[in-house]
Amino acid sequence: MTENSILTQIPILNRLFRFQWEPSSHRHVLLYPEGMVQLNESAGAILTHVDGERSIAQIIEALQAQFPEADDSLIQDVIDFFTEAHHELHWIEFT
Amino acid sequence: MNCIGSNLPEGVGQPLWLLAELTYRCPLQCPYCSNPLNYDLNKTELSTEQWIETFRQARKMGAAQLGFSGGEPLLRDDLEQLIKAARELGFYTNLITSGMGLTLERMQAFKEAGLDHIQVSFQASDAEMNDYLSGNKRSFQEKLEVARTVKKLGYPMVFNCVIHRENIDQIDKIIELSLALESDYVELATSQYYGWALKNRDHLLPSKAQLVAAEATTNRYREQIKGKSRTKLIFVVPDYYEERPKGCMNGWGNLFLTITPDGTALPCHSARELPIQFPKVTEESIESIWYRSTGFNHFRGYGWMKEPCRSCDEKEKDFGGCRCQAFMLTGDASNADPVCAKSPHHHLITEARDNADLAQPAQGSMIYRNRKNSQQLSQTQAADLIPAQQVEME
């Protein structure tokens, strides 16, 4: 998949996973049958914008607005995250 | 590190995983049941309100996964209420069930209450073997129906089958059944030898050759479904065929909290068989139980260890293995888990392996998990520990 085509994809969370904020450990987690992934800050920030409606390009825009101090590497980081989350980890599906 | 209190023991993790054994009642009689042998002595069950209060306290301390287990949790009429309360507290809710008696209506009610996932246990891939192992004549058809409905309602489904000597050679059929049911996860877990399974060990422990063949079959199916199916096949090897013990429960009182039907809090679901007093949620807060009780601090850290664990450079990896296994096989819970090749009791494991190579390794018939056997075993349990102590003195 080329970078341009991935930007137009609309990610949605795989139905096996639930994404939520854990107040006692101050981080986002992905919960699934009998298991849990404790997410780092950037994965948590990205997944917050996954709603099954916004494309990856729109999510990048939202993150740039949210973190104005971030440089251009943010774009590649988000693409890499979705590529891995879709192909390898199966957290994400594309609608 | 966390904000629960100021005088907490160093390095103690949060109880992320809460297992709620709602009841010891069960329609099945599986001979490898993880409930204590003497389960029938204790028929007290927490009330709805007591369970919900337990969930609330555990959630506050960081618990995120909640397993409804038993016995058979469906036998609690308030299960819908418990699911709803747990879900509202933010738990990921898992129903771990035999599926017996589970109707479409009830599954829909669970869905409305917010249940996240259902794990259905199978005993084998065909009616005859399944019903023989579960001690119930109509269990297989019911389970099939339940598994199909679980999928129809859009739940993630975990297909669980305990693997042992009597069904391991059918593992291909078991996997095929799990794939036909479109399971999301397939747990092929070889039985762990505590309680009932230890009593029936000679009947249950597969031979090395059986194990090697079953693993190869599982790998073959993994290759076959690659790219075609998202089903994840998980094969859990029995620790009896390892040379190092498992890092049991990720460390004592470190991650896992079991609450038994009467509210006794345990660091793992077998710990009730240890000669240690464990606190009850009806008498103490979970915070106090987790951080300050003698039971939960008993095997934390490394100070309790004896040789060869004490000076072992792998102790931080496996914590000396399983305390319950050490106790049940050697009579002393502070000993190294005999699975470890460095343990002076390791011969207990190799002898069991050698025995499993025999054509007829077991004497007598399997002891099913039921009330009559539980009552009988409760009386003889103390006497059963004597052979283990003799081993120590030799």
Side-chain angles (χ1 to χ4, degrees):
Chain A
M1 197 181 295
T2 67
E3 270 184 23
N4 279 334
S5 69
I6 197 171
L7 285 171
T8 60
Q9 294 284 351
I10 298 172
I12 188 164
L13 202 60
N14 175 345
R15 64 174 184 89
L16 291 180
F17 293 92
R18 201 171 93 203
F19 173 68
Q20 74 181 28
W21 174 255
E22 281 299 289
S24 63
S25 56
H26 306 283
R27 62 177 143 204
H28 283 102
V29 294
L30 278 177
L31 295 158
Y32 59 95
E34 296 172 53
M36 173 161 83
V37 186
Q38 298 181 317
L39 298 166
N40 62 27
E41 218 170 311
S42 48
I46 297 170
L47 286 174
T48 306
H49 295 280
V50 170
D51 56 7
E53 287 174 14
R54 279 182 282 184
S55 67
I56 292 179
Q58 286 169 314
I59 291 170
I60 289 171
E61 272 174 47
L63 287 165
Q64 282 168 331
Q66 191 182 349
F67 302 101
E69 70 285 2
D71 59 29
D72 282 350
S73 65
L74 181 143
I75 300 174
Q76 193 56 51
D77 288 348
V78 175
I79 291 172
D80 290 348
F81 171 82
F82 278 113
T83 309
E84 195 189 353
H86 177 257
H87 294 304
E88 285 163 46
L89 303 167
H90 305 304
W91 297 346
I92 290 292
E93 285 168 5
F94 294 139
T95 61
Chain B
M1 174 192 103
N2 60 50
C3 30
I4 295 158
S6 50
N7 55 345
L8 303 177
E10 279 284 301
V12 174
Q14 291 178 304
L16 297 178
W17 228 120
L18 177 64
L19 185 72
E21 292 182 337
L22 299 180
T23 178
Y24 283 145
R25 291 173 288 148
C26 188
L28 300 189
Q29 309 180 28
C30 305
Y32 40 76
C33 180
S34 64
N35 290 158
L37 292 169
N38 64 2
Y39 76 91
D40 195 59
L41 292 183
N42 196 335
K43 297 191 183 66
T44 322
E45 291 183 12
L46 294 184
S47 69
T48 312
E49 292 68 32
Q50 284 171 322
W51 274 119
I52 293 174
E53 176 58 21
T54 301
F55 300 161
R56 197 187 59 73
Q57 289 183 32
R59 177 73 188 134
K60 211 170 145 197
M61 291 174 60
Q65 286 283 348
L66 172 53
F68 294 106
S69 171
E72 174 49 66
L74 295 173
L75 294 175
R76 287 282 300 216
D77 294 334
D78 57 356
L79 187 53
E80 288 82 343
Q81 250 177 295
L82 297 179
I83 291 169
K84 187 162 185 286
R87 188 64 176 76
E88 281 168 4
L89 287 165
F91 278 106
Y92 188 92
T93 49
N94 305 273
L95 173 61
I96 300 160
T97 178
S98 71
M100 300 297 296
L102 184 50
T103 59
L104 172 65
E105 291 70 28
R106 202 150 188 225
M107 271 188 267
Q108 277 166 333
F110 292 160
K111 189 98 198 168
E112 277 159 37
L115 181 63
D116 290 289
H117 140 245
I118 300 183
Q119 179 196 112
V120 186
S121 67
F122 281 78
Q123 281 70 43
S125 62
D126 65 88
E128 196 185 337
M129 176 67 98
N130 191 88
D131 300 350
Y132 159 68
L133 289 167
S134 64
N136 185 309
K137 284 196 184 62
R138 53 194 175 86
S139 62
F140 188 67
Q141 286 309 323
E142 268 200 68
K143 282 165 186 289
L144 284 184
E145 200 46 50
V146 165
R148 289 187 188 116
T149 314
V150 167
K151 286 299 292 187
K152 216 183 294 168
L153 292 178
Y155 285 110
M157 184 177 74
V158 176
F159 175 108
N160 173 284
C161 188
V162 173
I163 300 293
H164 48 79
R165 187 176 187 92
E166 301 236 13
N167 67 4
I168 193 166
D169 296 332
Q170 309 176 349
I171 201 162
D172 54 338
K173 303 233 166 54
I174 295 169
I175 294 172
E176 272 174 28
L177 174 66
S178 74
L179 295 174
L181 292 168
E182 297 172 63
S183 314
D184 295 292
Y185 298 86
V186 180
E187 288 177 3
L188 305 161
T190 48
S191 51
Q192 308 264 346
Y193 304 102
Y194 311 109
W196 295 90
L198 184 59
K199 281 267 165 246
N200 292 309
R201 188 181 67 187
D202 293 344
H203 290 274
L204 297 171
L205 183 66
S207 69
K208 177 83 182 177
Q210 281 183 304
L211 194 67
V212 169
E215 268 193 292
T217 304
T218 310
N219 285 332
R220 202 178 72 231
Y221 276 97
R222 283 187 183 130
E223 279 305 309
Q224 249 177 53
I225 62 174
K226 214 180 219 171
K228 289 178 220 156
S229 159
R230 283 277 179 87
T231 301
K232 252 187 132 147
L233 299 178
I234 303 152
F235 187 83
V236 185
V237 189
D239 56 358
Y240 271 54
Y241 287 98
E242 304 284 352
E243 296 300 313
R244 287 288 178 274
K246 54 183 184 269
C248 201
M249 307 321 279
N250 214 18
W252 181 268
N254 184 43
L255 177 77
F256 198 87
L257 172 63
T258 297
I259 309 293
T260 66
D262 69 350
T264 304
L266 304 173
C268 85
H269 41 274
S270 302
R272 203 167 203 172
E273 310 231 2
L274 295 175
I276 293 175
Q277 197 65 37
F278 288 104
K280 279 198 167 111
V281 295
T282 45
E283 288 155 14
E284 253 181 88
S285 73
I286 295 191
E287 190 199 322
S288 154
I289 288 171
W290 184 259
Y291 290 108
R292 289 183 286 279
S293 71
T294 317
F296 276 76
N297 281 308
H298 211 102
F299 297 114
R300 277 186 178 141
Y302 307 98
W304 55 271
M305 284 181 172
K306 296 182 171 182
E307 291 298 349
C309 296
R310 187 184 285 267
S311 60
C312 180
D313 59 5
E314 294 171 77
K315 66 181 173 194
E316 286 168 35
K317 199 166 77 188
D318 58 36
F319 322 107
C322 170
R323 295 306 88 223
C324 303
Q325 189 145 276
F327 174 69
M328 281 183 248
L329 296 183
T330 75
D332 181 348
S334 303
N335 279 335
D337 183 336
V339 159
C340 185
K342 294 182 184 177
S343 157
H345 300 96
H346 187 56
H347 62 94
L348 296 172
I349 300 290
T350 53
E351 282 159 16
R353 283 185 214 164
D354 292 343
N355 188 60
D357 275 334
L358 302 175
Q360 294 281 343
Q363 313 277 318
S365 49
M366 278 213 269
I367 302 169
Y368 285 90
R369 179 257 197 224
N370 57 38
R371 295 188 55 190
K372 192 176 126 254
N373 287 334
S374 176
Q375 284 159 14
Q376 256 171 28
L377 287 167
S378 312
Q379 287 157 15
T380 56
Q381 218 177 347
D384 280 347
L385 295 174
I386 292 166
Q389 283 161 0
Q390 281 170 349
V391 169
E392 270 261 286
M393 289 182 286
E394 270 164 16

